[in-house]
Structure formats: C-alpha cells, structure tokens
C-alpha cells in the first residue's frame, strides 16, 4: 500500500517499513532459505516469500511465524499474490 514497504533480505528476514519516514516497523523471520521472490498484498496484510528450497511461506504482518507454507520440489524464483491475497502464483525450475 502507499504507507508500507515490505522487503526480503539474504539474511533470511522480512522487514516491514514505513514509507514516509523510512523507519522499520517489524522484522519477521527467519525464512526457511534465502528469499528469491517476495509479494505483498496490502489488502490482506500478507507477504509471500519463495526461495531455493521451493517452499513458499505466507506471513501475516501481525504474526511472528508464517501462517502457511506450501512446497514445490524445485527452486522458486518469483511469487505474486492476487489483490485480495487469496491466491498465490509462483515461478519455479521445471
């Protein structure tokens, strides 16, 4: 959304920032592996992260642990969420 920025980092964390002042609001993680792709739904206040292990983890901003994990057997390089946060799409090897 216009007030929130969500980032994923090679230190296996997801960080939530306030856009206006650049302050970190929350740090989530660690993720299961190095994150290659991140998607954010401002409507659902949910982030989806995928990485080399093929796992896609879904994080609600108010939680400290993932709310759901899905696994694909190949490395994941990108992920997207529908506007309402109900559907995820990911790109994997093979």
């Amino acid at each position: 959304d216009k007030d929130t920025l969500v980032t994923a980092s090679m230190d296996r964390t997801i960080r939530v920032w306030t856009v206006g002042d650049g302050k970190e609001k929350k740090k989530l993680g660690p993720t299961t592996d190095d994150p290659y792709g991140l998607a954010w739904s401002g409507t659902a206040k949910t982030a989806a992260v995928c990485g080399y292990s093929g796992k896609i983890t879904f994080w609600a901003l108010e939680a400290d642990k993932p709310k759901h994990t899905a696994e694909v057997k190949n490395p994941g390089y990108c992920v997207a969420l529908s506007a309402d946060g109900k559907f995820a799409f990911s790109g994997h090897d093979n």
Side-chain angles (χ1 to χ4, degrees), residues 8-10 12 14 31-39 48-59 69-80 89-93:
S9 177
M10 294 307 270
R12 296 184 176 186
I14 300 165
T31 59
T32 56
D33 59 8
D34 297 336
Y36 289 167
L38 171 111
V49 179
C50 69
Y52 190 77
S53 71
K55 290 182 180 175
I56 304 168
T57 54
F58 299 87
W59 300 76
T69 300
E71 191 167 349
V72 178
K73 295 186 189 245
N74 296 301
Y77 298 105
C78 58
V79 63
F89 307 89
S90 62
H92 294 260
D93 277 349

Side-chain angles (χ1 to χ4, degrees), residues 6-77:
V6 181
T7 62
S9 177
M10 294 307 270
D11 69 356
R12 296 184 176 186
T13 61
I14 300 165
R15 296 175 191 253
V16 182
W17 308 85
T18 303
V19 172
D21 59 16
K23 291 186 179 179
E24 183 179 310
K25 294 193 312 187
K26 188 163 187 172
K27 179 175 152 183
L28 300 167
T31 59
T32 56
D33 59 8
D34 297 336
Y36 289 167
L38 171 111
W40 159 247
S41 169
T43 304
K45 302 291 186 207
T46 299
V49 179
C50 69
Y52 190 77
S53 71
K55 290 182 180 175
I56 304 168
T57 54
F58 299 87
W59 300 76
L61 293 192
E62 69 277 354
D64 292 323
K65 295 182 180 182
K67 66 179 184 176
H68 180 70
T69 300
E71 191 167 349
V72 178
K73 295 186 189 245
N74 296 301
Y77 298 105

